[in-house]
């Protein structure tokens, strides 16, 4: 690998720039995905992604669609950097004499990348889900309290990420932030196993098999296709992870003790189709997110910006 690919500070910059741009663009869709996945039969508030976004704007304004975005914007830099850097690291050590990796070795490298990233992903998702779903819980509480005492209609101020972190650490210790770690691994490892080999092969095909980074549009389209494909493939596990990591439940909603219990209750009460809830939202989120990430990464934004940072600091 080249020096460009081995420079960790540059990877951090690339991951940060890609994450900040991507999250800002697609976060409202991610919020709709979380709320759609969490609502259960008998407690449905939203009929579709557009309905969820319209209702959110009406109740909380435009900025309501970005509830929980601060957590993502803060942690997306190390998360993306770890994911991309780990994949490069494993690909480099699995390659033989710099020859093209076999599909199995590409999948193995992706597996390693997915395993490494959950260090950041799990607490990030844990906090983000609570903040994103707070609006749905509040709306359910209002509906349940309609016609009740005046106090039932008082809008509660949603907790901040810092308050949630403090409460989880106080009650459950560091393990509180890592609730749903198993489900996160079950989602992110298969995602990376699918995504990285698919992206590498699509990108190589788009470049006509030539060596080195391809044109930005090839990287972007390859990232979008690979990202959306992997996202839909692992959506059932994402539904399970979202349900397990949600600490607050709506009226008459099931609680779960683990992955197996969650699968059993969803199948019994909602049917197999429930595992596809939010799938198209997730595809719409992941496609541009990874398309942008790969463009930033292959254009070498971090490598070009690093000398300026060194001069300034």
């Amino acid at each position: 690998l080249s020096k460009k690919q081995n420079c960790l500070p540059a990877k951090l910059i690339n991951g940060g720039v890609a994450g900040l741009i991507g999250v800002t663009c697609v976060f409202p869709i991610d919020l709709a995905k979380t709320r759609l996945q969490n609502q259960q039969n008998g407690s449905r508030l939203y009929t579709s992604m557009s309905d969820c976004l319209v209702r959110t704007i009406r109740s909380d304004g435009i900025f309501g669609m970005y509830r929980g975005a601060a957590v993502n914007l803060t942690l997306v830099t190390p998360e993306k950097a770890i994911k991309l850097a780990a994949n490069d690291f494993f690909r480099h050590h699995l390659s033989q004499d710099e020859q093209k990796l076999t599909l199995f070795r590409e999948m193995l490298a992706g597996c390693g990348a997915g395993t490494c990233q959950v260090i950041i992903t799990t607490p990030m998702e844990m906090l983000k889900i609570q903040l994103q779903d707070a609006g749905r819980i509040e709306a359910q509480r209002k509906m349940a309290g309609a016609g009740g005492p005046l106090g039932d209609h008082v809008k509660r101020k949603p907790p901040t990420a810092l308050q949630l972190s403090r409460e989880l650490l106080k009650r459950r210790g560091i393990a509180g932030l890592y609730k749903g770690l198993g489900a996160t691994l079950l989602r992110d490892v298969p995602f990376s196993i699918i995504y990285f080999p698919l992206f590498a092969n699509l990108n190589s095909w788009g470049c006509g098999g030539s060596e080195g980074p391809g044109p930005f549009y090839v990287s972007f389209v390859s990232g979008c296709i690979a990202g959306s494909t992997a996202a839909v493939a692992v959506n059932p596990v994402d539904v399970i992870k979202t349900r397990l990591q949600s600490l607050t439940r709506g009226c008459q909603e099931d609680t779960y003790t683990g992955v197996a219990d969650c699968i059993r209750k969803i199948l019994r009460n909602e049917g197999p189709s429930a595992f596809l809830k939010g799938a198209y939202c997730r595809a719409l989120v992941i496609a541009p997110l990874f398309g942008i990430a790969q463009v930033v990464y292959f254009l070498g934004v971090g490598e070009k910006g690093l000398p300026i940072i060194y001069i300034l600091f």
Side-chain angles (χ1 to χ4, degrees), residues 15-31 33-34 65-80 120-132 161 187 241 245 282 285-286 289:
V17 171
L20 292 173
I21 295 171
V23 168
T24 304
C25 293
V26 302
F27 195 82
I29 303 173
D30 188 61
L31 179 137
K33 186 267 306 179
T34 298
M65 295 192 299
Y66 285 88
R67 185 177 286 175
V71 176
N72 260 35
L73 292 172
T74 303
L75 296 178
V76 75
T77 297
E79 192 248 4
K80 283 282 176 289
I120 301 294
T121 305
T122 306
M124 180 177 77
E125 293 271 307
M126 182 70 186
L127 295 172
K128 183 196 73 171
I129 285 170
Q130 315 316 315
L131 297 168
Q132 285 183 328
R187 182 196 68 171
K241 184 198 74 66
Q245 288 188 317
R282 184 161 162 75
V285 168
I286 296 296
L289 194 61

Side-chain angles (χ1 to χ4, degrees), residues 80 83 104 156 171 188 193 212 218 223 233 237 247 255 271 276 283 286 309:
K80 283 282 176 289
K83 190 184 191 82
F104 175 73
R156 298 174 184 175
R171 288 169 51 198
D188 288 349
I193 288 173
V218 173
V237 189
L247 299 175
T255 56
L276 293 177
I286 296 296
I309 293 172

Side-chain angles (χ1 to χ4, degrees), residues 94-224:
L94 287 168
S95 64
Q96 296 176 334
D97 301 323
E98 300 296 326
Q99 293 180 354
K100 180 177 170 63
L101 289 176
T102 63
L103 179 60
F104 175 73
R105 287 175 180 262
E106 286 183 327
M107 293 172 72
L108 204 57
C111 176
T115 304
C116 290
Q117 78 170 83
V118 298
I119 298 168
I120 301 294
T121 305
T122 306
M124 180 177 77
E125 293 271 307
M126 182 70 186
L127 295 172
K128 183 196 73 171
I129 285 170
Q130 315 316 315
L131 297 168
Q132 285 183 328
D133 206 37
R136 184 185 71 89
I137 299 298
E138 176 66 19
Q140 276 198 354
R141 190 186 67 82
K142 278 185 179 178
M143 289 176 65
L150 183 62
D152 289 343
H153 301 280
V154 176
K155 189 170 183 177
R156 298 174 184 175
K157 188 178 179 181
T160 64
L162 195 58
Q163 289 171 335
L164 281 170
S165 300
R166 273 202 292 252
E167 182 64 22
L168 283 169
L169 288 170
K170 183 180 176 182
R171 288 169 51 198
R172 307 184 185 187
I174 193 69
L177 290 172
Y178 281 87
K179 183 182 179 184
L181 174 62
T184 307
L185 278 167
L186 287 174
R187 182 196 68 171
D188 288 349
V189 171
F191 178 94
S192 295
I193 288 173
I194 296 168
Y195 172 78
F196 282 111
L198 184 56
F199 169 78
N201 285 281
L202 285 172
N203 196 54
S204 177
W205 178 73
C207 297
S210 60
E211 292 293 326
F216 79 93
Y217 58 85
V218 173
S219 293
F220 179 76
V221 173
S222 299
C224 287

